[in-house]
Amino acid sequence: MLDIDKYKKELSHYLNNADNILLICHVNPDGDAAGSMLAFYHYLNSRGKNTSMISPNYLQEFLTWMNGSDRINIFIRDRKKCRELIENADLIIMFDFNQSNRLGEAEKYVLKSKAKKVIIDHHLNSESFSNLLISDHTRSSTSELVHELVSAISEGHFVDKNYSEAIYVGIITDTGNFEHGYFNGKTFRIIADLFDTGIDKDKINDLLFNNFSESRIRLLGYSIYERMVLLPEFHTAYIYLTLADLERFNYRKGDTEGFVNLPLSIKGIDFSTLITEREDNIKLSFRSKGDFSVSEFAEKYFNGGGHYNAAGGESNDSLENTIKHFLEALKKERGNDA
Ligand code: 5GP
Ligand code: MN
């Protein structure tokens, strides 16, 4: 169990001694990465701290309504400014990842920066590239952990609606609106506190979950109807999408979010994978139910990682070879399940 009191003191020490604080989230930021970073930004702003934010690349469109998101510097858009922000920072706080390659193009600049580095995260198997690692994989989200830290440091006195919204977004996106992932009574007590600050849950739910384009819904139907392959002998299903598929359905960043969970609702399937062809590589998303560690699977075969039941990875091979590699890995890891 994470000792919040201990980390509160250590984190406070770093915050009190920093003049230029930089917050960074992981590449392809999801609701938790953006939410935890924005929440911390609102908190530091309230303390009058000089704080900037960087995301390695663009936010998914369904997150850009969040207050403060227009103040996030995008590394691949403003490289020079972002490099300067990294160089001038004396404290860099990283959110929702624990492997430095999740910094994308910003990685090498962050690694060589002389700033003190703090990671706040909830993934398994952390790499050591920070001075302080605050991580607990039993938390629903990095946002939940950020909220506990901020509540501890401010002794419960920090109340701000933009902050609450950001924490709420992190928690409900990482749990798929409480369908999967880790959450417990404590998570709901935090949600209750957030509600008490006056957030509009219906508005946020609509913005996050009911904001899709027609073509995204059609892509979803196509993915399930044409591109889902069931392998009952491995209790596994996978969906693959080619670049041409994505173009046909006018793909926008974030459109395939959630697809990977759907095959898990098929009776007898407890491992699901989404394999997506991208311009520069192949992205894989893994989900499992119960006793199969997809973070280990992702790490071992696809240079990735994540959580026990939700992870991701990449491949630099062709789509065809990636699927072959996936099927071979499946035989090795789940051959006895047949
Ligand atoms: P998703 O499948 O939704 O992209 O990601 C599921 C989980 O795995 C998230 O917690 C995400 O941070 C992590 N993840 C996704 N892709 C990668 C990757 O390429 N490398 C690592 N280390 N983690 C990943
Ligand atoms: Mn997360």
Side-chain angles (χ1 to χ4, degrees):
M1 198 62 189
L2 194 84
D3 181 352
I4 285 288
D5 234 33
K6 167 176 172 280
Y7 286 107
K8 162 190 144 175
K9 284 189 194 119
E10 292 189 37
L11 181 58
S12 289
H13 175 78
Y14 282 111
L15 293 176
N16 293 337
N17 288 293
D19 294 320
N20 282 315
I21 304 178
L22 175 64
L23 314 181
I24 301 196
C25 63
H26 64 70
V27 71
N28 301 321
D30 56 11
D32 189 30
S36 56
M37 177 170 79
L38 281 169
F40 210 72
Y41 176 79
H42 291 308
Y43 168 63
L44 291 179
N45 249 354
S46 80
R47 283 179 52 171
K49 284 282 182 188
N50 185 16
T51 311
S52 339
M53 293 178 284
I54 290 181
S55 168
N57 61 355
Y58 292 94
L59 258 62
Q60 302 180 23
E61 235 173 72
F62 73 94
L63 296 171
T64 52
W65 58 271
M66 293 172 75
N67 193 294
S69 72
D70 54 341
R71 272 166 274 164
I72 300 175
N73 297 283
I74 308 294
F75 194 95
I76 60 165
R77 184 185 59 204
D78 301 313
R79 288 184 174 85
K80 186 164 178 284
K81 181 176 178 201
C82 289
R83 284 202 307 266
E84 281 168 11
L85 287 172
I86 296 171
E87 257 163 44
N88 294 334
D90 51 11
L91 174 62
I92 298 178
I93 309 182
M94 295 171 262
F95 294 86
D96 201 36
F97 65 97
N98 60 22
Q99 297 177 345
S100 62
N101 66 5
R102 304 277 287 151
L103 283 161
E105 279 188 35
E107 178 182 19
K108 63 177 181 224
Y109 303 101
V110 170
L111 289 183
K112 78 172 182 217
S113 131
K114 291 194 179 67
K116 297 284 182 209
K117 299 183 189 86
V118 174
I119 294 175
I120 308 179
D121 182 46
H122 70 137
H123 292 91
L124 295 162
N125 302 329
S126 306
E127 282 177 358
S128 52
F129 57 100
S130 63
N131 303 90
L132 175 64
L133 171 68
I134 309 177
S135 178
D136 180 358
H137 74 273
T138 70
R139 295 299 206 281
S140 69
S141 50
T142 299
S143 299
E144 181 175 325
L145 194 49
V146 162
H147 181 64
E148 284 183 68
L149 290 163
V150 168
S151 302
I153 295 174
S154 69
E155 295 179 348
H157 290 308
F158 178 61
V159 179
D160 175 79
K161 201 166 152 199
N162 295 326
Y163 163 89
S164 295
E165 282 193 349
I167 298 286
Y168 183 67
V169 166
I171 295 175
I172 64 169
T173 53
D174 256 26
T175 59
N177 225 352
F178 300 109
E179 272 192 18
H180 49 72
Y182 292 92
F183 52 89
N184 52 28
K186 185 142 59 79
T187 319
F188 285 108
R189 280 187 283 278
I190 291 173
I191 297 286
D193 288 343
L194 299 176
F195 280 5
D196 287 346
T197 66
I199 63 171
D200 183 343
K201 77 167 176 24
D202 296 327
K203 178 198 87 177
I204 298 174
N205 280 8
D206 268 350
L207 286 165
L208 292 176
F209 302 120
N210 303 325
N211 204 4
F212 295 122
S213 63
E214 175 190 340
S215 55
R216 187 265 182 189
I217 295 296
R218 295 196 187 279
L219 174 63
L220 170 62
Y222 174 82
S223 304
I224 299 295
Y225 193 64
E226 294 282 345
R227 294 295 196 217
M228 181 173 72
V229 180
L230 287 193
L231 304 164
E233 68 275 31
F234 299 119
H235 305 286
T236 297
Y238 70 92
I239 298 169
Y240 66 97
L241 289 169
T242 66
L243 266 178
D245 292 337
L246 298 178
E247 272 162 29
R248 176 175 164 194
F249 290 95
N250 192 23
Y251 172 80
R252 295 280 185 87
K253 211 171 165 56
D255 276 356
T256 55
E257 194 81 12
F259 286 16
V260 65
N261 293 300
L262 296 172
L264 288 181
S265 63
I266 301 169
K267 193 172 177 180
I269 297 297
D270 61 16
F271 179 34
S272 170
T273 297
L274 174 68
I275 306 174
T276 315
E277 188 177 23
R278 298 196 298 205
E279 295 286 348
D280 44 355
N281 66 1
I282 310 282
K283 164 84 192 146
L284 295 101
S285 275
F286 306 105
R287 298 291 185 275
S288 67
K289 284 192 297 194
D291 194 16
F292 179 63
S293 169
V294 286
S295 78
E296 270 177 40
F297 187 87
E299 205 176 332
K300 195 162 164 189
Y301 296 102
F302 292 102
N303 194 27
H307 306 283
Y308 195 89
N309 292 125
E314 290 176 347
S315 156
N316 291 315
D317 215 331
S318 65
L319 179 62
E320 201 185 332
N321 286 341
T322 301
I323 293 176
K324 260 192 212 151
H325 181 55
F326 171 71
L327 294 174
E328 281 157 17
L330 206 54
K331 267 188 209 129
K332 278 192 205 142
E333 298 301 324
R334 293 170 66 92
N336 298 334
D337 276 11

